[in-house]
């Protein structure tokens, strides 16, 4: 049975509406996936840097090399910046101390390396409820000795 | 028709939401895995430095430093030493860390999954240390205030500076602590015999996959053979190219474990020439029980510490 002229128009409007809604959902999902992908890259960058720094006593002193390892692992992350630091403690419950501190006779400090990777993510499309650009950041800490 | 379209839209939204939640969980899992690795590694270091009492606190602290505090935000951190399962099960030097977290979902909660528990386990292989005290025959490491004697590291009265290797430990007159691959190596006490050369070193009996060795060469580079002797009488020979201790060259079979900015020598005082102690790995047949390691018969090669990996 052939639909009436008015019904055809209504179907067209409904179809247009659903296509628009689907397109918006698809764009949102794509943007979200890209953000997640970049977030994981940032995490991998920080992990690679911390693993490099904690690999040996020598590596722990070569902060530029951790930074390089992190940067290499994070290739593809937009505007990736890496910051590195290290800190020492005498006991888990205590605060940080100078790394050349003698904690007790023969006991030296515990050394931790810390790498923070930060990347700027810009969504492909503006969403009123979310900022168009935001930072994704990850910090990894590993004991080096 | 409108109702049909709305239903389709709702279903699409739910699938999109499922994708959003899955993505968030995957990201969280990556963070959780990193934290588990840090926890197991720190637990193993805690074990080597402080004994079994240092394992759990070290691992829990490392997990917390990486954003996963036991008992907080649905996080559970489990630490095992020795692990009860996994590749290093029952190995008393290894540590297993498992981190689980109950993560709230956004869209999946609409279809009866308000939370999803994710979990990651990391096994840190712990090395079995080999005592070299009985075989040390080289006076290789001296404090800055001590005159190098007995030929020093290179038989020409030049030696590694204990202060430069580890100032804190040297101040307490104990051997330096060096880290390589998550293992803490303790070097010999300064000013005495603290290097092994041209000897056969008894190894801790057991089945291991790798022998990790801290060593250096003088008048190098040197390419020489290390012979692993197994309890069944068989042997395996590994050839290693070792960089000189001051003319530092990178070879594929070595890594720099510690580099100092100077050495000491008999005429007195430090000399501002960098030195290095290197790490070497020798693969073992883990189906056989190791017995000993025969060092090359040259004065040029000096070994400082050995660990055996499961």
């Amino acid at each position: 049975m052939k639909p009436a002229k008015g019904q055809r128009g209504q179907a067209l409007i409904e179809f247009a509406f659903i296509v628009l809604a689907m397109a918006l959902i698809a764009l949102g999902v794509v943007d979200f996936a890209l953000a997640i992908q970049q977030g994981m890259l940032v995490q991998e960058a920080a992990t690679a840097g911390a693993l490099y720094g904690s690999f040996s006593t020598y590596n722990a002193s070569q902060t530029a090399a951790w930074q390089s390892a992190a940067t290499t692992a994070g290739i593809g992350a937009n505007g990736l910046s890496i910051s590195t630091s290290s800190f020492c403690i005498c006991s888990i419950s205590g605060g940080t101390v100078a790394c050349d501190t003698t904690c007790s006779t023969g006991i030296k400090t515990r050394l931790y390396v810390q790498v923070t990777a930060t990347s700027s993510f810009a969504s492909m499309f503006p969403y009123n409820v979310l900022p168009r650009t935001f930072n994704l950041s990850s910090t990894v800490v590993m004991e080096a000795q | 028709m409108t109702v049909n379209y709305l239903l389709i839209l709702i279903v699409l939204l739910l699938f999109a939401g499922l994708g959003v939640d899955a993505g968030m969980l995957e990201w969280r899992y990556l963070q959780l895995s990193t934290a588990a690795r840090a926890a197991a590694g720190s637990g193993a270091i805690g074990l080597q430095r402080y004994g079994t009492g240092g394992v759990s606190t070290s691992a829990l602290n490392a997990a917390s430093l990486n954003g996963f505090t036991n008992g907080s935000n649905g996080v559970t951190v489990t630490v095992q030493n020795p692990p009860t399962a996994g590749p290093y099960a029952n190995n008393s030097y290894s540590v297993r860390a498992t981190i689980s977290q109950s993560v709230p979902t956004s869209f999946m909660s609409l279809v009866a999954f308000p939370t999803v528990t994710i979990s990651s386990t990391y096994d840190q292989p712990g090395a079995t240390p080999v005592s070299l005290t009985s075989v040390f025959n080289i006076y290789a490491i001296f404090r800055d205030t001590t005159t190098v004697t007995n030929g020093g590291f290179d038989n020409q009265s030049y030696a590694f500076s204990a202060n430069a290797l580890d100032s804190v430990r040297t101040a307490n007159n104990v051997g330096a602590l060096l880290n390589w691959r998550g293992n803490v190596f303790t070097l010999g006490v300064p000013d005495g015999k603290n290097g092994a050369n041209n000897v056969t070193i008894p190894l801790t009996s057991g089945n291991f996959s790798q022998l990790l060795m801290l060593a250096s060469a003088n008048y190098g580079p040197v390419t020489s053979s290390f012979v692993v002797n197994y309890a069944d009488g068989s042997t395996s020979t590994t050839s290693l190219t070792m960089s000189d201790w001051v003319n530092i060259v990178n070879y594929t079979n070595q890594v720099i474990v510690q580099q100092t900015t100077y050495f000491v020598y008999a005429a007195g005082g430090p000399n501002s020439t960098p030195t290095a102690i290197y790490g070497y790995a020798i693969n073992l047949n883990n189906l056989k029980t190791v017995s000993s390691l025969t060092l090359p018969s040259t004065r040029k090669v000096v070994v400082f510490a050995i660990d055996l990996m499961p």
Side-chain angles (χ1 to χ4, degrees):
Chain A
M1 189 174 73
K2 192 177 177 182
K5 193 175 180 181
Q7 285 177 319
R8 287 205 304 271
Q10 186 188 347
L12 197 63
I13 290 167
E14 286 174 351
F15 181 72
F17 175 75
I18 197 78
V19 166
L20 182 65
M22 283 172 66
L24 284 174
I25 292 169
L27 291 175
V29 167
V30 168
D31 251 347
F32 178 80
L34 289 172
I36 289 287
Q37 183 197 31
Q38 191 159 321
M40 291 171 80
L41 264 178
V42 166
Q43 173 73 23
E44 283 171 3
T47 303
L51 281 174
Y52 189 95
S54 62
F55 181 73
S56 71
T57 305
Y58 174 70
N59 281 19
S61 67
Q62 304 297 305
T63 50
W66 324 349
Q67 198 152 19
S68 174
T71 303
T72 302
I75 285 176
N78 181 48
L80 182 69
S81 68
I82 307 291
S83 68
T84 58
S85 62
S86 58
F87 61 91
C88 291
I89 61 171
C90 273
S91 68
I92 298 296
S93 54
T96 57
V97 297
C99 290
D100 59 356
T101 301
T102 298
C103 299
S104 59
T105 305
I107 303 295
K108 63 192 289 188
T109 55
R110 307 181 72 150
L111 170 65
Y112 293 83
V113 299
Q114 178 170 309
V115 177
T116 299
T118 306
S119 171
S120 171
F121 179 78
S123 66
M124 289 192 298
F125 301 94
Y127 305 97
N128 287 337
V129 293
L130 294 171
R132 181 90 189 257
T133 304
F134 53 92
N135 282 340
L136 296 164
S137 184
S138 176
T139 297
V140 173
V141 182
M142 295 210 176
E143 187 167 1
Q145 184 163 292
Chain B
M1 286 296 283
T2 306
V3 174
N4 289 343
Y5 283 138
L6 278 176
L7 282 175
I8 291 168
L9 199 58
I10 289 168
V11 170
L12 281 173
L13 272 171
L14 283 174
F15 272 105
L18 186 69
V20 168
D21 276 338
M24 293 297 287
L25 287 169
E26 184 65 24
W27 190 4
R28 193 66 178 155
Y29 177 77
L30 192 62
Q31 295 168 333
L32 192 103
S33 302
T34 302
R37 183 171 190 160
S42 199
I45 290 175
L47 172 68
Q48 291 169 69
R49 292 193 58 182
Y50 307 103
T52 51
V55 178
S56 187
T57 50
S58 302
L60 292 175
N61 181 56
S64 183
L65 287 170
N66 284 283
F68 294 88
T69 303
N70 188 34
S72 175
N73 295 322
V75 172
T76 304
V77 183
T78 310
V79 185
Q80 290 183 340
N81 167 245
T84 56
Y88 312 114
N90 303 318
N91 180 293
S92 58
Y93 294 98
S94 298
V95 175
R96 164 174 274 210
T98 301
I99 303 182
S100 305
Q101 185 177 29
S102 180
V103 182
T105 58
S106 303
F107 295 91
M108 286 166 70
S109 59
L110 300 175
V111 284
F113 293 103
T115 60
V116 171
T117 299
I118 54 176
S119 178
S120 180
T121 295
Y122 191 84
D123 290 289
Q124 177 69 37
T128 301
V130 176
S131 174
L132 303 189
T133 308
S134 64
V135 294
F136 277 149
N137 54 6
I138 299 293
Y139 292 74
I141 305 169
F142 284 83
R143 285 182 287 188
D144 293 355
T145 51
T146 307
T147 302
V148 178
T149 57
N150 296 291
F153 169 73
D154 64 350
N155 213 19
Q156 297 293 322
S157 297
Y158 292 83
F160 282 94
S161 161
N163 300 73
L165 285 170
D166 188 338
S167 60
V168 172
R169 297 266 299 176
T170 300
N172 290 277
N173 200 29
V174 286
L177 283 187
L178 301 181
N179 163 47
W180 179 36
R181 286 174 46 173
N183 299 300
V184 178
F185 294 82
T186 306
L187 304 194
V189 178
D191 301 347
K193 292 177 182 175
N194 40 39
N197 167 255
N198 191 16
V199 291
T200 294
I201 300 170
L203 300 177
T204 309
S205 181
N207 298 68
F208 302 96
S209 63
Q210 226 171 27
L211 181 151
L212 302 183
M213 176 175 71
L214 300 194
S216 198
N218 53 73
Y219 295 97
V222 182
T223 298
S224 52
S225 296
F226 293 78
V227 180
V228 176
N229 306 295
Y230 293 97
D232 63 3
S234 63
T235 62
S236 67
T237 302
T238 302
S239 177
L240 296 174
T241 299
M242 306 173 73
S243 175
D244 186 82
W245 69 310
V246 290
N247 295 315
I248 300 165
V249 179
N250 291 319
Y251 294 107
T252 53
N253 60 200
Q254 78 178 23
V255 297
I256 297 174
V257 172
Q258 174 66 311
Q259 187 171 319
T260 70
T261 54
Y262 62 91
F263 59 71
V264 289
Y265 60 112
N271 178 298
S272 58
T273 300
T275 70
I277 288 180
Y278 308 97
Y280 301 91
I282 295 174
N283 290 327
L284 303 174
N285 183 342
N286 63 4
L287 299 176
K288 295 183 176 183
T289 304
V290 292
S291 172
S292 60
L293 173 72
T294 302
L295 301 185
S297 54
T298 168
R299 177 64 178 79
K300 293 181 177 181
V301 173
V302 177
V303 173
F304 299 103
I306 290 176
D307 272 2
L308 295 163
M309 299 297 287

